[in-house]
Amino acid sequence: MESSFAMDSSAPVLIFYARNDALGDGLLRIPALRAARTAFPQSRVVYGATRGSSLSHVLRKHVAHLVDDFRTNTRLSAILAEFAPRGRKAVVVDLRTGVPGLMLTALQLAGRGIRHEANFAGHLLSLRWGTRLTLRPEHNAWRYHRLIERLAARHLPFDHRLDVPDAARTLARQLRGGCSRPLVLLGGNAQGRKCMSENQVVAVAGNLIDAGYQVLYLATPGNGPTLRALVAKESRLEVASPELAPDITSFDDLLLALGEMAVAYIGMEGGLAHLMAAVMTPAVIVNNGANMERWRPLSNAVEVVAAPRRGRSAYVADAPVEAILDAARRLLAAGRRDHATMPERRETAPVQFGAR
């Protein structure tokens, strides 16, 4: 794949390298890729990973103009042999976090004329003469972006947003069916301890519907409540499933379009929350133990509900419904107060939650 930018063979090859990117990881790396293309338009940008990357498949269309080549399930040494043979200048932006592995890579690259900009804590082990010491940001997205700013020696735009096709917006409006009630999205499907329970989804949805909201459950891949059981217990709950779109990429576009229209997303911490943040959807996140300083959704308007622990683990399904609803009340009240005239997300009137 060739970039739309004119590349200079004398410019250093810029190689991003990660361990593995789930959906959320890939979304948080996009601002750094945009900054890299801005700062180094003449360089060939290669994105590699030890295993897989969401950037090379489900998110590919969002970064196709930023990345010239993908090499997933590939060792860094093989990528360097292909794109930076002896004598070719290269920069490795190492997004991995394990300090021993990063140090070993730095030693292996020493003396080869390859700059290694690594995701070291505090950047201390990658400090260079003439580079001002700065602490590494807490949030992952800003950590990756800071690495590019260090390379460019200047501040660069930070942009985590995704574009939404008009066709997806049209489909989202059709799905809403002309409903004038403010829209709330629910997401409960996930892997492992992140799933919401059937009773949680039904109770939260029922309260919101009673309060005057249109509630749409996002049937994304993963384990969680079955749609048949949810609709049997709460017949007013509407569902957006992959069958509405021709392929999974188009379904993701539909989710983004719905997120643009919604006054809130309520669901577990994870990739879907980061996808909603890409269109600035206010969110209530049920967290099963992730570090919110590092993983907080970038939509800024975020309420976090901590799931209680069972021994050493926390389960989203154990979070009290009332705690989720309290967070939703605060989030929605703040939205009415601070953005009363926001198009699409404007509520027609203040609404109150009832008890269920």
Side-chain angles (χ1 to χ4, degrees):
M1 177 184 64
E2 291 293 332
S3 167
S4 59
F5 291 81
M7 288 170 289
D8 183 348
S9 60
S10 65
V13 175
L14 191 58
I15 299 170
F16 285 81
Y17 197 68
R19 183 177 62 87
N20 185 64
D21 298 331
L23 179 61
D25 300 289
L27 289 165
L28 295 185
R29 303 202 201 283
I30 288 177
L33 291 170
R34 286 176 172 154
R37 185 55 84 189
T38 297
F40 308 104
Q42 304 303 316
S43 289
R44 188 173 199 89
V45 177
V46 180
Y47 193 93
T50 306
R51 289 187 278 168
S53 174
S54 57
L55 291 167
S56 66
H57 49 98
V58 296
L59 296 174
R60 187 164 189 147
K61 73 175 186 177
H62 296 289
V63 297
H65 59 298
L66 305 172
V67 178
D68 301 298
D69 298 276
F70 286 97
R71 293 294 184 270
T72 54
N73 299 294
T74 307
R75 295 174 65 87
L76 178 58
S77 57
I79 297 173
L80 287 168
E82 179 180 358
F83 292 99
R86 292 287 181 180
R88 178 71 191 272
K89 293 187 294 183
V91 177
V92 174
V93 181
D94 203 331
L95 304 176
R96 297 172 295 174
T97 56
V99 172
L102 291 175
M103 293 182 68
L104 178 60
T105 299
L107 290 172
Q108 291 170 338
L109 298 180
R112 291 187 54 183
I114 297 173
R115 178 167 176 175
H116 182 230
E117 194 67 51
N119 189 22
F120 285 117
H123 301 305
L124 292 177
L125 295 178
S126 59
L127 185 64
R128 291 173 178 81
W129 181 260
T131 301
R132 184 172 63 89
L133 174 61
T134 58
L135 294 179
R136 183 178 66 170
E138 284 289 337
H139 199 288
N140 281 334
W142 282 98
R143 289 183 183 190
Y144 312 142
H145 187 267
R146 180 64 57 79
L147 294 176
I148 307 305
E149 289 191 322
R150 282 164 57 86
L151 285 173
R154 64 184 176 94
H155 294 296
L156 293 162
F158 180 97
D159 186 358
H160 74 283
R161 299 166 298 167
L162 296 185
D163 297 326
V164 183
D166 289 339
R169 291 191 175 107
T170 298
L171 183 56
R173 286 193 291 268
Q174 292 172 351
L175 188 58
R176 288 212 68 188
C179 181
S180 61
R181 290 173 291 157
L183 175 66
V184 173
L185 305 175
L186 286 181
N189 291 5
Q191 299 297 331
R193 296 180 286 114
K194 289 187 176 184
C195 299
M196 292 185 73
S197 72
E198 178 183 303
N199 289 338
Q200 279 176 320
V201 173
V202 168
V204 170
N207 271 274
L208 289 165
I209 294 168
D210 288 344
Y213 292 90
Q214 180 185 24
V215 180
L216 193 62
Y217 186 78
L218 307 179
T220 55
N223 301 320
T226 66
L227 300 184
R228 179 176 295 181
L230 291 177
V231 174
K233 288 189 175 182
E234 179 50 84
S235 60
R236 299 171 297 172
L237 179 64
E238 299 173 58
V239 175
S241 64
E243 289 73 23
L244 295 170
D247 51 55
I248 191 63
T249 301
S250 299
F251 181 59
D252 287 345
D253 289 339
L254 173 61
L255 297 180
L256 290 171
L258 290 168
E260 280 187 325
M261 299 176 178
V263 294
Y265 162 77
I266 301 173
M268 59 283 148
E269 185 279 325
L272 183 55
H274 292 295
L275 190 70
M276 292 292 103
V279 288
M280 302 303 289
T281 312
V284 173
I285 302 301
V286 185
N287 180 30
N288 72 318
N291 183 332
M292 282 291 100
E293 282 70 32
R294 291 185 59 185
W295 291 104
R296 183 182 176 90
L298 292 169
S299 52
N300 299 324
V302 180
E303 284 274 352
V304 178
V305 177
R309 289 192 170 275
R310 276 192 252 160
R312 300 182 63 180
S313 301
Y315 292 78
V316 165
D318 291 343
V321 168
E322 192 57 36
I324 299 172
L325 290 172
D326 282 344
R329 293 185 188 104
R330 293 191 298 268
L331 184 82
L332 293 164
R336 291 193 299 271
R337 180 195 67 207
D338 298 336
H339 302 285
T341 60
M342 182 179 292
E344 292 288 355
R345 289 180 177 153
R346 179 174 58 84
E347 296 186 32
T348 55
V351 290
Q352 302 296 325
F353 289 92
R356 286 177 70 87

